Amino acid sequence: MQTFRPVQLILIWMLCVMWNVQSVADTKPIEWRMSSAFPGSALQLGTLGREIARNITDISDNRLKVAFIEPNVIERPFRLFDAVSKDKLEAAWATPSYWFQKDPAFALFSSVPFGPDPLEFTAWMSYGGGAALRDELYEPHGLISIVCGAMAPEAGGWFRREIRQIEDFRGLKMRAFCLGAQVLQKLGMNPQLIAHDKLHTALQDGSLDAAEFSMPAIDTNLRFDQVGQLYYYFPGWHQQTTLFELLISQSAWLALPRAQQAQVRTACAANLARGIAQGEALQARAILDIRERGTEIRKFPPQVLNGLEKAWLEVAAELSAKSKNFARIWAAQTRFREEYRVWRELGYLR
Amino acid sequence: MQTFRPVQLILIWMLCVMWNVQSVADTKPIEWRMSSAFPGSALQLGTLGREIARNITDISDNRLKVAFIEPNVIERPFRLFDAVSKDKLEAAWATPSYWFQKDPAFALFSSVPFGPDPLEFTAWMSYGGGAALRDELYEPHGLISIVCGAMAPEAGGWFRREIRQIEDFRGLKMRAFCLGAQVLQKLGMNPQLIAHDKLHTALQDGSLDAAEFSMPAIDTNLRFDQVGQLYYYFPGWHQQTTLFELLISQSAWLALPRAQQAQVRTACAANLARGIAQGEALQARAILDIRERGTEIRKFPPQVLNGLEKAWLEVAAELSAKSKNFARIWAAQTRFREEYRVWRELGYLR
């Protein structure tokens, strides 16, 4: 009768252990540091970033753990592009407008003056050719950008004086950002990029005549009603949509199993739906609160909007002359919008 | 020196095997049969259902396998509510309007004449109190309903004659569905629910004077241009949104691990974003094709829309008198919309 000695038994046991370890090896978690361009406490700007980190972690059953990292802890907001590109970070939560200095074409994937609203914008991105153009733009930098959230349209901004005609803009100092700021500059304004926590003082002491910051539900926290009598203008012609992106290094992306790639894409699409629904739900109450606290709510007169749009088309032509990417993408977006207009005018109740 | 006999060794080996089986037991897949109210080939109606089944399966890494089952294979569309409620099926792909006969209140979670568009509708559902009211309505039936997709607004319908005033509707036989059909009935029309594959003949032989079926990208396949000169009217006042639901039996839902519940919710939110983007992208081209093939594209005159809206408000009052659920939910939706209007009028460029 054959027998086994303890040493043999230990070897058999070790084989068993290795077999078991192998079968759970697939579940070892991957960890991503996702550095944010916005503070986690900022409504939608940051909260949607927190949400996506949590949601990916949840639906991956903790196999892909995404950590939301506050701005400036690892990297400054405007440097996130390079940090992810160089694999200093696996991912970033940002908006393509932040890479405007690298190429103005990036801004066409986030918000465009007189541009598409969130419905039309995501239609173009997902089913109108936008995504392929975006991928071409990011690919040479070793980056994947996924549409991962949207914010409601911004307001037109706070003004110390009434705006009756396009000439009233001339000489005004206004806080403004990106493509919208370029339009205002063309109209003889002095656009300035001032941090939101300095705006209150700047409007109060007259070093600013006007400021746009964000959508009403965020603007309401700036408490500009305490500055004195202001006009709060609509619509936010400069930013009818703000799309957020999950920016991922190609190598981090390629290291993900297929199911986890699907989890990231799905969580981002869900975050988009969440952002749009939340944005729509919050603004009316905020506007009513702002009005109740003494600020005049106004709409830009049609001739002012026409003047702004004319100036924007000039800016777009100039940027097209400077950047081949801008020219190509702007032309494609414009073509999509021309056809889409047929539907927007017929399909919806006013 | 102690030795082991083969029989002992086999026992040790069996322990190893059991240990390993235990460690992979968590990954044994759960399988759901999701019976659809719409054929899988039908654009958005069915394709979004196929997509959600695939997407849940993918992001669960095959641990929750959802099978898309064509209508009538296990259950007829209008009986899906009962089938899931009685655990004959784990899930169904449907629209709450289909349960109108059980309680007209269900229709308020899918499409409402002169009701919210997809942006406003999902804002109300997710952040305006709609979801809680829906859960109250489904809970006594042992059902969970999750918003899981949306379709673009429908068109107003195909007409054999021009519609100039509200009186032109009187006596017309029109294919129509659900709440919209009740409005038409109030205006002296004869609404009829005819299957889409019978519509062509019915319009041709005059047994129908008019028909609404769906959104342009679906309607275009009906090839009504071959019927003869028709008018294709906009907007689809009766159905500015169609929300789809994933209907789940409570017991199937409660049997899911938390991560998989999160996967289902996330996949549904993503499917919603996909549905909206796709719907927006497809309609303009379809309208242009329909026009090119000889059908007149028209808008209902304002006085016709006003007459339809007045009739709808009467229908809503009647349904509120008949159903406490309808009364409560209709009042809540109306309150939300009154405040929201402030934002819609200010926030967006026209």
Side-chain angles (χ1 to χ4, degrees):
Chain A
M1 184 178 166
Q2 193 191 350
T3 57
F4 292 83
R5 285 170 303 162
V7 66
Q8 288 174 311
L9 205 71
I10 286 165
L11 277 170
I12 291 168
W13 185 253
M14 279 173 69
L15 275 170
C16 284
V17 170
M18 284 167 66
W19 181 37
N20 193 285
V21 164
Q22 180 57 34
S23 76
V24 295
D26 299 337
T27 63
K28 184 169 174 273
I30 296 170
E31 300 192 6
W32 275 9
R33 292 156 306 153
M34 184 191 80
S35 208
S36 174
F38 309 100
S41 60
L43 181 63
Q44 294 217 305
L45 293 159
T47 55
L48 286 171
R50 283 195 176 286
E51 184 67 19
I52 191 67
R54 196 194 55 73
N55 195 211
I56 293 173
T57 306
D58 281 355
I59 69 168
S60 74
D61 209 0
N62 293 298
R63 288 157 80 188
L64 173 55
K65 293 185 178 177
V66 179
F68 178 92
I69 295 165
E70 292 286 346
N72 305 315
V73 171
I74 296 183
E75 192 55 275
R76 280 177 287 158
F78 286 100
R79 303 199 52 176
L80 287 170
F81 186 100
D82 290 335
V84 180
S85 172
K86 288 171 185 155
D87 282 315
K88 192 173 155 187
L89 284 163
E90 288 79 25
W93 169 254
T95 173
S97 292
Y98 270 38
W99 327 132
F100 174 79
Q101 294 300 337
K102 295 199 173 281
D103 190 323
F106 284 106
L108 294 172
F109 295 108
S110 171
S111 55
V112 181
F114 295 92
D117 70 9
L119 285 188
E120 184 180 1
F121 214 136
T122 57
W124 177 64
M125 288 301 285
S126 301
Y127 296 90
L133 291 165
R134 173 204 56 198
D135 293 347
E136 271 175 49
L137 194 63
Y138 281 88
E139 201 279 333
H141 303 277
L143 291 167
I144 309 278
S145 168
I146 298 175
V147 175
C148 203
M151 213 164 72
E154 298 206 339
W158 312 78
F159 290 78
R160 286 161 58 101
R161 294 178 240 168
E162 229 180 329
I163 298 294
R164 291 159 185 260
Q165 46 193 2
I166 197 78
E167 291 75 18
D168 293 341
F169 281 142
R170 197 176 309 277
L172 293 191
K173 283 166 293 184
M174 181 167 179
R175 190 270 180 197
F177 174 64
C178 205
L179 298 174
Q182 304 227 331
V183 174
L184 295 172
Q185 193 156 29
K186 183 150 285 281
L187 289 166
M189 291 181 84
N190 289 313
Q192 329 217 341
L193 194 51
I194 296 179
H196 70 97
D197 53 351
K198 305 278 190 297
L199 289 177
H200 198 286
T201 315
L203 268 180
Q204 201 151 35
D205 69 15
S207 56
L208 272 185
D209 302 300
E212 63 85 5
F213 182 63
S214 187
M215 62 185 189
I218 291 180
D219 282 356
T220 186
N221 300 320
L222 301 175
R223 295 304 305 269
F224 285 157
D225 56 297
Q226 298 163 340
V227 168
Q229 178 61 52
L230 292 179
Y231 301 91
Y232 190 40
Y233 272 97
F234 288 90
W237 55 271
H238 62 293
Q239 210 160 330
Q240 285 277 292
T241 307
T242 306
L243 289 187
F244 297 106
E245 67 183 347
L246 181 61
L247 197 62
I248 308 166
S249 91
Q250 270 175 9
S251 56
W253 179 253
L254 294 174
L256 284 191
R258 256 194 82 228
Q260 286 172 26
Q261 288 185 346
Q263 286 158 3
V264 171
R265 286 196 188 284
T266 303
C268 277
N271 213 40
L272 176 69
R274 237 187 322 261
I276 291 176
Q278 188 187 33
E280 287 303 292
L282 297 178
Q283 310 309 322
R285 176 52 27 209
I287 292 170
L288 294 171
D289 287 348
I290 288 167
R291 179 152 64 194
E292 274 163 29
R293 297 206 304 252
T295 296
E296 285 261 343
I297 306 294
R298 290 287 177 90
K299 289 180 87 163
F300 287 121
Q303 65 272 29
V304 169
L305 289 175
N306 290 343
L308 286 162
E309 188 167 13
K310 195 166 152 278
W312 157 242
L313 294 175
E314 289 174 37
V315 169
E318 288 164 16
L319 293 173
S320 294
K322 277 186 205 157
S323 155
K324 276 188 188 170
N325 287 325
F326 190 98
R328 191 174 75 251
I329 297 162
W330 169 245
Q333 198 178 72
T334 303
R335 267 197 309 279
F336 177 84
R337 300 199 70 199
E338 274 161 14
E339 187 167 296
Y340 176 83
R341 191 172 297 127
V342 172
W343 164 241
R344 178 51 60 97
E345 279 169 14
L346 287 169
Y348 287 90
L349 285 161
R350 296 273 146 187
Chain B
M1 185 179 173
Q2 194 192 351
T3 55
F4 292 81
R5 284 169 303 160
V7 66
Q8 289 173 310
L9 205 71
I10 287 166
L11 277 170
I12 291 167
W13 185 252
M14 279 172 68
L15 276 169
C16 284
V17 169
M18 284 166 66
W19 181 37
N20 193 283
V21 164
Q22 181 57 35
S23 77
V24 294
D26 299 337
T27 62
K28 184 171 174 274
I30 296 171
E31 301 193 4
W32 276 8
R33 292 156 306 152
M34 184 190 80
S35 206
S36 174
F38 310 98
S41 61
L43 181 63
Q44 293 217 305
L45 293 159
T47 56
L48 286 171
R50 283 196 175 286
E51 185 66 19
I52 190 67
R54 196 193 56 72
N55 195 212
I56 293 173
T57 305
D58 281 356
I59 70 168
S60 74
D61 209 359
N62 291 299
R63 289 158 79 189
L64 173 56
K65 292 185 178 178
V66 179
F68 178 92
I69 295 164
E70 292 287 346
N72 306 315
V73 171
I74 296 183
E75 191 56 276
R76 280 175 287 158
F78 286 100
R79 302 198 55 175
L80 287 170
F81 186 100
D82 291 334
V84 180
S85 172
K86 288 172 185 154
D87 282 317
K88 193 173 155 187
L89 283 164
E90 289 79 25
W93 168 254
T95 172
S97 293
Y98 270 36
W99 328 131
F100 174 79
Q101 294 299 336
K102 294 198 174 284
D103 190 325
F106 284 107
L108 295 171
F109 294 109
S110 171
S111 55
V112 180
F114 296 93
D117 69 9
L119 286 187
E120 184 180 0
F121 214 136
T122 57
W124 177 64
M125 288 301 285
S126 301
Y127 296 90
L133 292 165
R134 175 204 56 200
D135 293 347
E136 272 175 47
L137 194 63
Y138 281 87
E139 200 280 331
H141 301 279
L143 291 168
I144 309 279
S145 167
I146 299 176
V147 175
C148 203
M151 213 164 74
E154 298 206 339
W158 312 77
F159 290 77
R160 285 160 59 100
R161 294 177 242 166
E162 228 180 327
I163 298 294
R164 291 160 184 259
Q165 46 193 3
I166 196 78
E167 290 75 20
D168 293 341
F169 281 142
R170 198 177 307 276
L172 292 191
K173 284 167 291 183
M174 179 167 179
R175 191 273 180 195
F177 173 61
C178 204
L179 297 175
Q182 304 227 333
V183 174
L184 296 172
Q185 194 156 27
K186 183 151 284 287
L187 290 166
M189 292 181 83
N190 289 313
Q192 330 217 341
L193 194 52
I194 295 179
H196 71 97
D197 52 352
K198 305 279 190 296
L199 290 176
H200 199 287
T201 315
L203 269 179
Q204 202 151 33
D205 69 16
S207 56
L208 273 184
D209 302 300
E212 63 85 4
F213 182 64
S214 188
M215 60 186 190
I218 292 180
D219 282 356
T220 187
N221 299 321
L222 301 175
R223 295 306 303 270
F224 285 156
D225 55 297
Q226 297 164 340
V227 169
Q229 178 60 52
L230 291 179
Y231 300 92
Y232 191 39
Y233 271 97
F234 288 91
W237 55 272
H238 63 293
Q239 210 162 328
Q240 286 277 292
T241 307
T242 306
L243 290 188
F244 296 107
E245 66 183 346
L246 181 61
L247 197 63
I248 307 166
S249 92
Q250 270 175 10
S251 55
W253 179 253
L254 294 174
L256 284 191
R258 257 194 80 227
Q260 285 172 25
Q261 287 185 346
Q263 286 158 3
V264 171
R265 287 198 188 282
T266 303
C268 277
N271 214 40
L272 176 69
R274 238 187 321 261
I276 291 176
Q278 188 188 32
E280 287 304 291
L282 298 179
Q283 309 310 321
R285 176 52 28 212
I287 292 171
L288 295 171
D289 287 349
I290 288 168
R291 179 152 63 196
E292 275 162 28
R293 296 207 305 253
T295 296
E296 284 262 342
I297 306 293
R298 289 288 177 89
K299 289 180 88 163
F300 287 120
Q303 65 272 31
V304 169
L305 288 175
N306 290 342
L308 287 162
E309 188 166 14
K310 195 165 153 280
W312 157 242
L313 294 175
E314 289 174 38
V315 168
E318 287 164 15
L319 293 173
S320 293
K322 278 186 205 157
S323 155
K324 276 187 186 169
N325 287 326
F326 190 98
R328 192 174 73 251
I329 296 162
W330 169 246
Q333 197 178 73
T334 303
R335 268 196 307 279
F336 178 84
R337 300 199 70 200
E338 274 162 13
E339 188 167 296
Y340 176 83
R341 191 172 298 126
V342 172
W343 165 241
R344 179 52 61 98
E345 280 170 12
L346 286 168
Y348 287 90
L349 287 161
R350 297 273 144 187

